[in-house]
Amino acid sequence: MTGCASVTHGTTQSLKVETLTSDGKAIEGAECRLSNDKGDALTQSGQSVLVRRSGANLKVECTQAGLPPATGQAVSRVNAGMVGNIVVGGVIGAAIDVGSGAGYNYPSWMQLVFGEERSYDRSVQQGDQPVAGVALGVTRLVAPAPVPVAAAPAKVAVAEVVAPAPAAPPPARVVAAAAPPPDPTPEAAPKPASRVSLDDLGALLPARK
């Protein structure tokens, strides 16, 4: 491995981030985010990036497709510059370094391990050699959220309009023709007039006196 000089620029510091598999194989190109109370910085594993220095710890997280994340925190430590300011400028000089973050440093080279969370302390770094860190726990690969299946459109109930069957016509009323009343008893047919003789007529006339 090549060395990595710790470079500081006032309130910023250059850090190198590496990512390894659990068996020590280096993986380059993982997406890494470094964040503290001063802001975020993005880089890829195997490269260096400038971060804002702060008295707060630096959170680091690297992700690679198919692997559990590699996470860690870099512990901030007072640097030699701040000690010199305390000697020269007293409390005021120290306050300035604390407020700007210029009085602190992080480890300049960290090796994160996929599937683990580690702590990296500036105080244990030897020169500009990489810091392996102390394991704090494990991380797991997060399964992607299932893609919701579009629900099938609800079937719209279509009411079937059934035309009522035409009403059957009422049955024709069959009126029996009334038989004509029987003719009244026929009067006795007149007897044919008998022939009247002159003698009969004479009998009808009054008698002569």
Side-chain angles (χ1 to χ4, degrees):
M1 295 184 182
T2 58
C4 178
S6 177
V7 181
T8 58
H9 304 277
T11 58
T12 61
Q13 177 186 354
S14 176
L15 280 75
K16 182 177 181 179
V17 178
E18 285 186 336
T19 50
L20 310 174
T21 61
S22 57
D23 57 1
K25 179 182 178 181
I27 301 293
E28 296 187 355
E31 299 293 330
C32 300
R33 178 184 292 272
L34 301 86
S35 58
N36 61 13
D37 59 341
K38 302 292 185 180
D40 296 347
L42 300 176
T43 188
Q44 292 185 337
S45 60
Q47 300 180 1
S48 297
V49 63
L50 286 176
V51 297
R52 293 286 301 276
R53 293 195 286 175
S54 171
N57 292 344
L58 181 72
K59 295 180 180 179
V60 186
E61 181 175 11
C62 298
T63 56
Q64 177 75 9
L67 295 173
T71 63
Q73 58 179 355
V75 179
S76 177
R77 296 297 181 185
V78 173
N79 60 28
M82 183 171 176
V83 175
N85 280 346
I86 293 175
V87 174
V88 176
V91 176
I92 295 177
I96 293 174
D97 284 350
V98 169
S100 66
Y104 300 93
N105 276 348
Y106 296 114
S108 60
W109 188 354
M110 295 176 288
Q111 292 179 323
L112 280 73
V113 180
F114 288 111
E116 294 185 16
E117 179 183 4
R118 296 193 171 203
S119 175
Y120 302 88
D121 196 328
R122 171 74 181 189
S123 64
V124 301
Q125 185 173 13
Q126 301 295 321
D128 291 318
Q129 296 302 306
V131 179
V134 177
L136 299 177
V138 298
T139 62
R140 299 184 183 281
L141 183 64
V142 177
V147 179
V149 178
K155 292 184 178 179
V156 179
V158 178
E160 182 179 358
V161 179
V162 180
R173 296 180 60 186
V174 179
V175 180
D183 293 336
T185 304
E187 296 180 359
K191 297 180 178 179
S194 58
R195 301 180 68 179
V196 180
S197 65
L198 291 177
D199 294 335
D200 292 329
L201 292 176
L204 295 176
L205 293 175
R208 291 181 179 179
K209 294 181 179 181

